[in-house]
Amino acid sequence: MDISARSASAASRGRTRRTQIAAGSIAICLTAALAACSSSGGSTASASGSGSSGAGSAVGVSLILKTLSNPYFVSMEKDAKTAAAKDNVTLTVAAGTKDGDTQTQISAIDNAISRGDKGILITTNGDAVNTALNQAKQAGLFVIALDTAPNPPSVADITYATDNEAAGKLDGQYAAAALGGKPAVIAMLDLFNNQVVSVDIQRDHGFLEGLGINPGSTTQNGQEAKTGRYSGGSYTIACHQPTQGAIDGGRTAMENCLSANPGINVVYGINEPAAEGAYAALKTAGKTGVQIYAIDGSCAGLKLVTSGEFQADAAQYPGKMAGLGVDSIAKLARGGSKPSVTNGKSFYDTGSALVATKAYSGLTIQSPDQAAPACWGN
C-alpha cells in the first residue's frame, strides 16, 4: 500500500516512495521520468488494440493518482498506459499536486463523469473524495481503488492491492531464519504514532507474526509483549518509533531507538525510505551486522539488497494493480463479468515476493536479479 507519508519525502530523494506505509508497490515506494500529464486536468492517451479485449469502440477510463512526483505512482501510470494501448482504452490521467490534495482528485472524478467514462482507477488522497466517487458509481462508472482501500472500503467497487500483512510476514520469517536462534533485539520503525493507518498496522503485525511473536492487538501497534521468545530464541522489543515513511524520519527514529537500546540487531522498516534512514543512523553510530528489513520492491531497493544494506525487501507491484484495473474495466464495459476479490480476502491481492541474496530452508526467495524485471522506478 502507498504509505500516506511516502510521499513528499520519498519524492524528494527521487527514487523511492506508506506506508505505506509505501505501496508502497508498492509498491511501495518509492525514479522514473515523470510522465507528461497535468495535475489539474490530466493527460489523455488513446490507442487501439487487436486482441479480444480491444474489440469495439474505445472505452474511457480515468486513472486518478495521489501525485506524479512519487515513482510508485509513476509506475502505475506507465503500466496503465500499456494496458490501455492493448485494450483500446482512452485513458485520462490526473493526479494531486501533493499528497493529501483531494480537490484535484474530486475535479478529476467530476470530469470522468462528464466525459462518460466507464470506470475510474484511484489512489485516494483522503475521505473527502468519497462523495464524488459515490456520485460516479451512481452515474454508472465502475470504481477500482488501487493500493489502498478507501474508508469505508465500500466506496470502491473493488480494491487491487498488496496483502501488506503477508508482505510483512515474509520479512519476519526471513529474519527468524537469519538469526539462527540468536537473541533478537528489535527496532520497529513504523509509519505513525499519532494515528491509525491500516498499512502501518498490517506490516508491523505481519513482521512480528513472521518472527512468531503475537502482536497483542488487531488494531494497534506496540501492544506485543516487550520480551519473550520468537520462533528461534529470545527477543526484546527495543522501540516502536514513527518515521513518516521517510528517510529523515527513519534516521531520527533509529537514533532514538539506539539511545534506548544500543544492542539492536534487527530493524523492521515500514518501507524502503524508513529503512534507508535507519541504515544511515546505524552507519553514523558505527554499528555493523544489523539486519534491516524493508517493504517496497523498487529497483533502487533491490540494489540495496544486493549491496547488503537491506537483509531482505518484500516486493510489491503497483504497476500490476493499475494494469489489471484497466483490463477489468475494459472487459466489463464490453459485456464481461465484474472482477472478484481473492478467495478469503476483501480485496484482489496483486501479490508480493521476498527478495534476498541468501536462501534459507523452507523459505522461497527471489534474487535481486530475478526480481528486477518486475521492479518499479529506476
Side-chain angles (χ1 to χ4, degrees):
M1 151 160 203
D2 124 80
I3 293 191
S4 302
R6 112 158 90 192
S7 67
S9 45
S12 70
R13 64 170 187 152
R15 68 179 176 85
T16 151
R17 165 168 0 281
R18 9 347 307 222
T19 329
Q20 275 2 222
I21 233 181
S25 312
I26 91 99
I28 198 90
C29 207
L30 268 199
T31 314
L34 300 185
C37 65
S38 161
S39 61
S40 57
S43 65
T44 302
S46 178
S48 296
S50 57
S52 58
S53 62
S57 59
V59 172
V61 175
S62 283
L63 173 65
I64 305 171
L65 300 168
K66 285 193 173 186
T67 71
L68 276 170
S69 58
N70 185 330
Y72 189 84
F73 301 119
V74 173
S75 71
M76 287 188 175
E77 181 192 34
K78 177 183 175 183
D79 283 24
K81 286 184 172 180
T82 298
K86 173 176 65 72
D87 294 340
N88 191 15
V89 162
T90 299
L91 182 70
T92 302
V93 181
T97 57
K98 60 182 179 179
D99 195 65
D101 175 9
T102 54
Q103 188 53 56
T104 298
Q105 291 194 321
I106 291 169
S107 296
I109 294 166
D110 291 342
N111 290 339
I113 296 171
S114 298
R115 273 192 307 271
D117 285 352
K118 296 299 183 183
I120 290 172
L121 310 172
I122 186 168
T123 59
T124 75
N125 266 326
D127 296 350
V129 305
N130 289 0
T131 298
L133 287 176
N134 283 326
Q135 290 171 345
K137 289 167 65 177
Q138 291 167 7
L141 282 73
F142 193 78
V143 175
I144 299 178
L146 303 178
D147 185 64
T148 308
N151 179 33
S154 58
V155 170
D157 290 294
I158 192 171
T159 297
Y160 286 5
T162 304
D163 186 330
N164 284 293
E165 189 168 354
K169 191 173 292 186
L170 290 175
D171 272 349
Q173 290 170 338
Y174 193 90
L179 282 163
K182 296 177 183 177
V185 183
I186 306 166
M188 300 294 293
L189 305 191
D190 295 317
L191 184 57
F192 300 125
N193 65 355
N194 59 352
Q195 59 181 296
V196 175
V197 177
S198 61
V199 64
D200 198 10
I201 305 298
Q202 292 160 359
R203 292 184 178 186
D204 174 297
H205 289 191
F207 184 77
L208 293 173
E209 290 162 352
L211 280 164
I213 299 171
N214 185 338
S217 169
T218 59
T219 59
Q220 297 181 62
N221 287 340
Q223 301 304 302
E224 71 283 345
K226 296 305 178 279
T227 60
R229 295 193 65 81
Y230 74 96
S231 59
S234 64
Y235 78 84
T236 299
I237 302 295
C239 60
H240 277 269
Q241 284 284 313
T243 66
Q244 315 300 316
I247 292 177
D248 288 346
R251 182 186 297 110
T252 299
M254 193 70 243
E255 290 169 350
N256 292 338
C257 288
L258 287 172
S259 294
N261 191 326
I264 291 166
N265 60 358
V266 175
V267 177
Y268 152 81
I270 178 72
N271 62 2
E272 288 171 358
E276 284 191 69
Y279 177 82
L282 288 163
K283 186 176 181 180
T284 298
K287 300 291 185 180
T288 60
V290 180
Q291 300 177 21
I292 301 177
Y293 295 89
I295 300 174
D296 267 341
S298 74
C299 301
L302 300 190
K303 294 175 183 176
L304 298 179
V305 175
T306 299
S307 70
E309 184 170 317
F310 295 166
Q311 190 84 5
D313 192 0
Q316 54 181 345
Y317 310 109
K320 181 179 179 181
M321 300 172 196
L324 288 174
V326 170
D327 287 343
S328 296
I329 293 174
K331 291 174 183 176
L332 180 61
R334 296 183 175 115
S337 59
K338 292 183 179 180
S340 57
V341 300
T342 299
N343 188 35
K345 300 182 180 182
S346 60
F347 59 96
Y348 185 96
D349 182 6
T350 51
S352 56
L354 184 66
V355 183
T357 58
K358 183 176 180 180
Y360 290 97
S361 177
L363 296 179
T364 300
I365 68 166
Q366 293 180 357
S367 70
D369 285 345
Q370 289 171 327
C375 73
W376 47 272
N378 287 337

